[in-house]
Amino acid sequence: PNLRFDRPCLRAAVVWLRVRLILAGVWLSCCQAQEITRAEDLLKLSQEEAASARPVRLVGTVIGGSEIGRNRAVVHDGKSCAYIRNDALPDLVWENGAQVEVVGVSDPGGFAPIIVASSVRTLGHGPLPAPIRAVYEELLWGGLNGQWIEMRGVVRSCHWYPDLSPPGSVMMLATGGQQISVRVSGKELTADRWVDSSVRIRGICFHRYNDQRQALGPRLWVPENEPVIQEETPPENPFEGTPRSIRSLLQHSGKGAYGHRMLIEGEVIHSEAGSRIFVRDGSQCIQVNTSQDVRLGPGDRIRVLGFPYKSEHSPSLDDAICKITARAVKLPEPLDLSRIADAYSHDPELVRLTATVIGRVLHRDGWAISVTSEGVQFPLVLPASSGAPSALSLKPGARIEVSGICLDSGYWMPDGVTVFSSSFRILLRSPADIRVIAEPPWWTPGRLNILLGSLVAASLGAIALVTLVSRVRLRRQVADRRQAEGEFAAILSERNRMAREIHDTVAQDLSAIAAQLEVARSKLGPGNDGALLHITMAREAACSSLQEARRSIWNMRSQVLEDWDLAEALIRLLEQATRGTATRGVGRVSGDMRRLPSAQENNLLRIGQEAIHNAMLHGHPGMIELTMDFSDIRVRLCIKDDGCGFDPVAADKEPSIHFGLAGMRERIQQCGGILNISSKPGIGTEISCEIAVETCGLMSS
């Protein structure tokens, strides 16, 4: 059905919708404009929320004013602190203890949210609120940044800096096993009164941070007129006490407070002004870290006040001061190490040992050379302040005697509790701590390498020369063999031709003459004895000449076949052709080997010889395989190689060039056999021929 609305109802709906929209906008504006009135709510804002410039109205007490920085202050609202920046109010002077009302907006700040003030109104003055009692571990995560805190600790160092803005003192406070820097504004605190005293400090905690707003470490800022409470004062004459033995430091004890300085006494074995001193008291040696610029020499007797420090292996004294009690009478003697393994238990003792030089190395502490002794490799280090001494330019392999401070540089814990040394270095006091015992032998590894390289180069040259001469000789032998084979083939061909000519002419004619004389003799009747005698003599002469002709024909056959049978002759030809080359010849004979008629043997011999010659000349094979099979009905000869091969079809089209193949076919046709040639470029060649037994006409040798 059609819906109809009258005009009054439509107007009422539109008015109702407008009212709802107006109320929603007002409610949203009120929510967005809600002021932050507590510092802890400001600190809960995320970086994005603080960057939206939320309105802030804060009432509290000024903890730190102008001493923190120009147009900067910290205001405590009774529970938490907020950091204020008032760039728009450059003439404003913050007074510590003033009750103020700060109006402004939120800002993400560099590390934590802050207030950018637009107006500040002073309401009165009052006492500072109670601080938060904190320990060092609570400061690490940055949650107390900008907060008013109280800490206890022992003063490790104290210095007055009049050039600071504003002038003030900076002390290092040991607390919770760590140290924190404390800046005290407007007070000149001296080291002789404050170092080693137990103090209680109230100040504002600030953090160093990086570009990613990550806390790097805390520090304290004590406002002006805020006292530093000294709960325990240091001894009036600290050097007059009873010295402790170095070995007793940090040992198990049922009494004592290790947060304070300790006094030791001993002789100096090495010192670096303003840096470190190595002291020996007869029980042990110790490294003393100090910033005191005092000139000490080896053998001087001193008293040292310092804070024990738990290093990886041996304890040390940090932030130390010393007092000379007697100048050196004699130089301290190094401890001779009979075994290199004893070095691990003498940190940081003055030791003496012998070693062999390996070479110069890089080291973070200065100039160094690497040495070895009893299979242990370690560095000798000379501080970089000594320059680049020529004394460290020792030749590898030199035998030296070394005196220096043995310092552990690596540790391992087999049981997870007890720490043992795993490596060490020797700190040289001066280049004079090295004494060369023996120069390196002439046969150094470098010279041996040069000699071996020269021998290898000469050997390679000799091998190359021999290889070149061998190849030249091989080429000459191949050329001579080919020439001899050509001459031999020509002689055999000519002899065979002459034998055929004699057989076809002289022998045939003599045979015909003898036959005619035999006919003539048979037709002579009685009474013709004289003529019969002459005919008989003529016939005998013709037969004798025929026998001589046949003997000559036989003698013109291949001499190879006269000495050996066909199979042996072919195998010897193969051996002769491959001798002295990279080609391997293999000959195999199967079946009952027998002699063949001379013509067939000669043709098969020439076919085999031509095949071997072509393979060696054109195919360059790695192997030539010759097989000859004798059976009851046939004789088969096969020559197979793995050379480069050729195209038989293309060879048949150019018989004038490949006359060897044509000669093979002519010879096998003379024997009534079959010749097969199988070859392709790149896969080798196989030539086989077969003759039936019936055509062989077996004969004895």
Side-chain angles (χ1 to χ4, degrees), residues 492-514:
L492 289 179
S493 176
E494 183 62 21
R495 291 177 64 181
N496 289 334
R497 187 190 66 78
M498 292 178 62
R500 288 195 299 271
E501 290 294 332
I502 293 173
H503 179 270
D504 295 340
T505 58
V506 177
Q508 294 294 338
D509 291 343
L510 290 174
S511 179
I513 292 172

Side-chain angles (χ1 to χ4, degrees), residues 38 47 383 419 435 489 518:
R38 299 190 304 174
Q47 181 179 355
V419 176
R435 183 173 67 89
E518 180 65 26

Side-chain angles (χ1 to χ4, degrees), residues 63-299:
I63 300 298
S66 57
E67 70 273 10
I68 295 179
R70 181 177 176 82
N71 303 328
R72 304 290 189 269
V74 173
V75 175
H76 196 296
D77 68 353
K79 190 173 183 180
S80 296
C81 293
Y83 187 87
I84 313 297
R85 192 178 74 212
N86 58 308
D87 299 337
L89 305 170
D91 298 331
L92 178 65
V93 177
W94 299 91
E95 296 182 4
N96 294 342
Q99 301 290 321
V100 295
E101 180 186 52
V102 180
V103 177
V105 295
S106 64
D107 186 88
F111 179 67
I114 65 173
I115 300 174
V116 178
S118 58
S119 66
V120 177
R121 185 165 61 95
T122 302
L123 304 178
H125 289 78
L128 298 182
I132 301 172
R133 294 183 178 180
V135 295
Y136 185 85
E137 289 78 5
E138 295 175 322
L139 308 182
L140 294 177
W141 303 106
L144 293 179
N145 182 73
Q147 301 304 305
W148 178 237
I149 66 172
E150 180 181 270
M151 298 189 72
R152 282 183 168 84
V154 176
V155 179
R156 295 285 295 264
S157 63
C158 184
H159 301 279
W160 163 250
Y161 294 99
D163 297 332
L164 291 178
S165 179
S169 299
V170 176
M171 62 173 58
M172 293 300 297
L173 186 70
T175 177
Q178 302 293 333
Q179 297 185 44
I180 185 172
S181 175
V182 180
R183 180 172 174 177
V184 182
S185 297
K187 294 183 178 65
E188 182 177 358
L189 306 179
T190 59
D192 57 349
R193 180 186 173 190
W194 289 93
V195 174
D196 201 25
S197 63
S198 298
V199 297
R200 178 163 54 91
I201 295 177
R202 299 198 306 177
I204 304 171
C205 176
F206 292 106
H207 282 77
R208 295 180 293 107
Y209 52 87
N210 58 19
D211 295 339
Q212 287 73 41
R213 303 170 64 89
Q214 296 169 322
L216 300 179
R219 53 194 175 95
L220 290 184
W221 195 301
V222 179
E224 291 183 2
N225 303 323
E226 180 63 29
V228 177
I229 301 173
Q230 196 172 34
E231 296 181 331
E232 182 180 345
T233 60
E236 292 185 4
N237 298 308
F239 286 105
E240 301 301 325
T242 302
R244 297 279 302 270
S245 68
I246 296 175
R247 188 178 296 276
S248 68
L249 297 180
L250 299 184
Q251 285 186 344
H252 172 71
S253 176
K255 61 180 180 179
Y258 288 104
H260 293 276
R261 289 189 297 192
M262 292 187 177
L263 176 66
I264 65 169
E265 184 177 14
E267 66 172 344
V268 176
I269 58 176
H270 177 56
S271 67
E272 298 171 6
S275 177
R276 55 185 175 178
I277 309 168
F278 295 93
V279 181
R280 179 168 62 188
D281 69 352
S283 65
Q284 194 174 334
C285 292
I286 193 170
Q287 177 175 322
V288 177
N289 299 315
T290 179
S291 59
Q292 185 180 7
D293 189 9
V294 57
R295 301 297 174 180
L296 299 173

Side-chain angles (χ1 to χ4, degrees), residues 528-547:
N528 296 317
D529 294 337
L532 182 61
L533 176 62
H534 288 290
I535 291 174
T536 301
M537 292 176 61
R539 180 179 176 278
E540 290 177 356
C543 289
S544 177
S545 298
L546 179 60
Q547 289 178 359

